Amino acid sequence: MVYQLHNGIEMPLLGLGCWAMWDEEAQKTVENALEIGYRLIDTASMYQNEAAVGAGIAASGIARNDVFVTTKVANDDQGYESTLRAYEKSCTLMGLDYVDLYLMHWPIKGTRAETWRAMERLYEEGAVRAIGVCNFALPFLQEMEGYANIIPMVNQCELSPYLYQKDLVEACIAKNILMQAWSPIVRGKRFDDPKLLEIARKYGKSPAQMLIRWGLDHKFSTIPKSSSKERLLENFEVLNFSISAEDIALMDGFDEGFRVSGEDPMSMY
Ligand SMILES: NC(=O)c1ccc[n+]([C@@H]2O[C@H](COP(=O)([O-])OP(=O)(O)OC[C@H]3O[C@@H](n4cnc5c(N)ncnc54)[C@H](OP(=O)(O)O)[C@@H]3O)[C@@H](O)[C@H]2O)c1
């Protein structure tokens, strides 16, 4: 499933999240994912695995322009000049000439506007194909109207049926910003929810597959992480079914404002 961002760039909706994997494990996981068919790889400077992720892409033998690579500017690197430097460093570590999507990792108070200005420059100069933000709750997006020349193409947020941020989702749709779900399978913390198990039984799918498909059926991008080849495969085998509108609405109702780490971006406002 491919989505056209508001600048015309095509991006796969389903991808691999690379948080909490290091060195050989990260390289091998990226290779396995690309072999299975994943074409979107999400990492970040803060994950400290950009070199291994880049090595995995290189070792896969898949042409560079067939893989959509995302990385993120770290909180400590925010600011105008430091963001420009951080982007160069990420490219060098990954062994790539360009990144497909460069994201601001968190909306840090005091530096987010300058950071965005640097990201706009990277985009305007053609260094990166698309730019976006992460963890931009509604007030951050509204504030952005005062300083941004370019509307972010993507907003990557914690998003699942258990944290269905409807107001934010609707605002992003209205602004043509693609929502991308992090922790889309809630790090397994709701796999034993009887409501989820019941609906999974109905479709003959696993809880993880239902949560991933819920995102795709909403037209969110979704980036589940797994270091296991078996689970990478399981998470990718969601393209051959869809959830009925009625059951999507049912799953929307699972919302309980649950955050896997308890970290609410609004604490940075
Ligand atoms: N922008 C941000 O601020 C931000 C924050 C957090 C995450 N992210 C991104 O979002 C990605 C995904 O989020 P996440 O890693 O926090 O959580 P997640 O994808 O919801 O869950 C990952 C966890 O679930 C396990 N798992 C994966 N597939 C499974 C399956 N089919 N059955 C059972 N368990 C399964 C994984 O273990 P195994 O590896 O052992 O399978 C891992 O422990 C990250 O990797 C990162 O790229 C971004």
Side-chain angles (χ1 to χ4, degrees):
M1 293 169 87
V2 169
Y3 182 90
Q4 196 172 55
L5 299 174
H6 73 64
N7 66 340
I9 295 293
E10 291 198 332
M11 172 178 157
L13 283 181
L14 177 59
L16 169 70
C18 292
W19 178 64
M21 53 172 91
W22 289 273
D23 306 324
E24 293 85 14
E25 178 199 9
Q27 174 173 340
K28 193 68 209 161
T29 301
V30 168
E31 282 184 65
N32 284 339
L34 290 170
E35 190 188 327
I36 287 168
Y38 288 78
R39 288 294 178 269
L40 162 61
I41 308 289
D42 178 271
T43 186
S45 168
M46 290 206 285
Y47 303 166
Q48 296 180 32
N49 61 12
E50 289 173 304
V53 167
I57 295 168
S60 75
I62 310 255
R64 168 65 188 95
N65 59 4
D66 287 334
V67 186
F68 191 100
V69 183
T70 302
T71 193
K72 314 181 188 94
V73 56
N75 299 346
D76 288 347
D77 287 327
Q78 285 208 12
Y80 188 79
E81 293 297 337
S82 45
T83 294
L84 298 177
R85 280 195 300 273
Y87 179 74
E88 283 308 312
K89 188 173 171 200
S90 287
C91 286
T92 304
L93 280 171
M94 287 193 282
L96 301 178
D97 297 335
Y98 67 92
V99 163
D100 294 277
L101 174 63
Y102 199 44
L103 297 175
M104 189 188 316
H105 209 141
W106 285 91
I108 300 297
K109 204 173 189 161
T111 50
R112 53 187 178 250
E114 283 299 282
T115 302
W116 187 249
R117 222 163 49 79
M119 294 172 71
E120 288 181 332
R121 176 170 161 187
L122 290 168
Y123 176 70
E124 278 161 353
E125 289 180 350
V128 61
R129 297 177 73 219
I131 50 174
V133 292
C134 301
N135 302 304
F136 267 49
L138 208 42
F140 295 104
L141 286 179
Q142 287 158 347
E143 178 199 66
M144 230 183 166
E145 288 167 13
Y147 63 79
N149 293 318
I150 299 172
I151 295 172
M153 285 109 208
V154 173
N155 188 10
Q156 184 185 108
C157 294
E158 185 173 356
L159 189 62
S160 77
Y162 299 92
L163 181 67
Y164 178 38
Q165 310 181 63
K166 198 163 188 287
D167 289 353
L168 179 60
V169 166
E170 284 173 357
C172 285
I173 291 170
K175 288 173 184 288
N176 220 345
I177 300 172
L178 174 67
M179 281 292 278
Q180 186 171 51
W182 64 257
S183 292
I185 58 172
V186 203
R187 296 185 187 158
K189 290 180 181 186
R190 286 295 182 272
F191 283 175
D192 59 356
D193 175 9
K195 303 187 297 301
L196 178 60
L197 289 171
E198 190 185 329
I199 203 161
R201 246 190 320 270
K202 173 174 166 183
Y203 284 83
K205 301 290 172 186
S206 70
Q209 288 173 323
M210 292 306 290
L211 294 173
I212 294 166
R213 192 66 222 192
W214 173 85
L216 295 175
D217 281 329
H218 265 293
K219 299 231 166 14
F220 303 144
S221 173
T222 178
I223 46 169
K225 175 264 172 186
S226 181
S227 301
S228 136
K229 195 166 185 183
E230 229 172 42
R231 289 189 286 279
L232 279 173
L233 197 58
E234 175 185 332
N235 296 348
F236 198 70
E237 282 178 342
V238 293
L239 302 175
N240 55 357
F241 82 108
S242 62
I243 305 173
S244 72
E246 201 179 21
D247 288 332
I248 288 287
L250 196 75
M251 291 178 75
D252 292 351
F254 294 179
D255 187 20
E256 52 184 74
F258 179 74
R259 293 181 187 276
V260 289
S261 65
E263 206 163 359
D264 186 342
M266 281 311 292
S267 65
M268 294 177 175
Y269 196 64

